[in-house]
Amino acid sequence: MDNKEFHLLQEEFQLKQMSKKIEGKVGLALGGGAALGIAHIGVLKALKEKNIEIGWIAGTSIGSLIASLYCFDEDLDNLNNLAIETSWQNIAGISFSTYGAFSNSKLEKFLKKHIGDKSFEDSKIPLAIVATNIASGKKVVLNKGSVSKAVMASTAIPGVFEPIEIENQLLVDGGVVENVPVTTIEEMGAKTIIAVDLNASHVSEKPKNIIGVLINSFHFLLANSSKSQIRQADILIQPDLSKFSMVRLNNAENLIESGYTAAMKILAED
């Protein structure tokens, strides 16, 4: 999305926000964007400060991880510290599968350590996670059974991470079909939808290896597909993440601050 398109979209949402004030519970759609997803924590902080109650939450890819952690522990200080302390070694490892270079099986252990072996039915807030059936190309909304397995599937970038099998379906990253899960949150029953798009202003780095090529290619797919998805939202938050890497996890504090600043700016207009 170029600067002109970005500003036109922002103007469109400013007009929409003027006609629809936040009343009651909202549905929150957290989009994908690899390491950029840490910015979602800043958005959650802003929503809490504004006393905006989240009635439903849906996540795609990294958005599914943040959503899951938040649904089972709404202490944002804990989430903040976890983001700062986490490294790729905690959540990913080499794979010997023919389907992907890496495995995110460590992510399952990571989630179970921090939230327990939870099912969707245990969530404090109605939660849905978006994945893609790599055999059919169809969207799969995961909202029952193991939360950690669902997050593993939703974050499995094709070619980078091996797919996850759930109920005889081979699943990969939900960003392939719905990177910002606005339709999903609407289907859950939300009348007012806040969407967080991480990819609008991001600038990709020159890839240094095949993994970088795959991640950049996937990012371009996400950025383009998100354009139509986010128009259904009532309030759109697009942090300026142009100076951050999609793969480095050492900028957590600045990413959180960027998410918080962007959200407070938008919510101040409400």
Side-chain angles (χ1 to χ4, degrees), residues 10-241:
Q10 285 293 339
E11 288 175 9
E12 176 185 329
F13 274 93
Q14 284 171 3
L15 289 172
K16 186 184 286 189
Q17 284 165 217
M18 288 171 66
S19 62
K20 185 161 188 176
K21 299 298 183 181
I22 298 175
E23 295 179 356
K25 295 180 180 180
V26 303
L28 181 63
L30 300 183
L36 302 178
I38 296 171
H40 285 317
I41 300 171
V43 174
L44 288 166
K45 285 186 173 184
L47 293 175
K48 187 173 183 179
E49 281 191 23
K50 288 288 186 177
N51 295 313
I52 296 171
E53 186 177 0
I54 301 168
W56 306 264
I57 187 166
T60 297
S61 198
I62 186 63
S64 75
L65 175 59
I66 301 299
S68 299
L69 289 166
Y70 182 72
C71 279
F72 293 98
D73 182 4
E74 295 178 39
D75 188 327
L76 289 170
D77 288 333
N78 287 344
L79 196 50
N80 190 102
N81 293 335
L82 193 58
I84 293 170
E85 295 167 4
T86 299
S87 69
W88 285 112
Q89 290 180 327
N90 300 131
I91 56 179
I94 298 297
S95 170
F96 296 101
S97 167
T98 56
Y99 288 113
F102 295 94
S103 165
N104 63 3
S105 59
K106 286 185 178 180
L107 185 57
E108 182 175 25
K109 296 177 182 177
F110 175 86
L111 275 168
K112 287 181 177 179
K113 176 182 177 181
H114 293 288
I115 67 172
D117 188 9
K118 299 294 187 180
S119 297
F120 282 88
E121 294 78 5
D122 302 320
S123 177
K124 298 175 182 178
I125 303 169
L127 169 67
I129 287 174
V130 177
T132 304
N133 184 322
I134 197 60
S136 67
K138 293 182 178 179
K139 180 172 83 170
V140 177
V141 178
L142 301 165
N143 54 18
K144 59 183 178 180
S146 170
V147 171
S148 57
K149 279 287 186 186
V151 174
M152 287 174 67
S154 186
T155 56
I157 299 173
V160 179
F161 292 104
E162 58 185 333
I164 304 299
E165 187 170 345
I166 298 177
E167 295 184 354
N168 297 317
Q169 299 180 98
L170 203 58
L171 304 179
V172 297
D173 198 300
V176 174
V177 287
E178 191 179 33
N179 188 51
V180 185
V182 174
T183 299
T184 299
I185 205 76
E186 185 177 35
E187 290 168 351
M188 293 172 75
K191 302 303 181 186
T192 301
I193 299 171
I194 298 177
V196 185
D197 175 22
L198 303 172
N199 296 282
S201 62
H202 178 66
V203 178
S204 296
E205 300 175 337
K206 181 178 179 180
K208 297 178 181 178
N209 49 45
I210 183 62
I211 301 302
V213 170
L214 289 169
I215 290 175
N216 276 11
S217 299
F218 192 60
H219 160 68
F220 300 141
L221 168 69
L222 301 188
N224 286 317
S225 65
S226 294
K227 292 176 188 177
S228 59
Q229 296 162 8
I230 57 182
R231 291 185 186 276
Q232 297 170 253
D234 299 297
I235 295 171
L236 177 64
I237 298 171
Q238 293 179 308
D240 181 0
L241 306 177

Side-chain angles (χ1 to χ4, degrees), residues 35-36 38 83-88 205 243-256:
L36 302 178
I38 296 171
I84 293 170
E85 295 167 4
T86 299
S87 69
W88 285 112
E205 300 175 337
K243 62 183 179 182
F244 300 108
S245 166
M246 291 186 75
V247 295
R248 296 195 189 111
L249 293 174
N250 59 350
N251 280 311
E253 291 179 283
N254 291 327
L255 280 163
I256 292 168

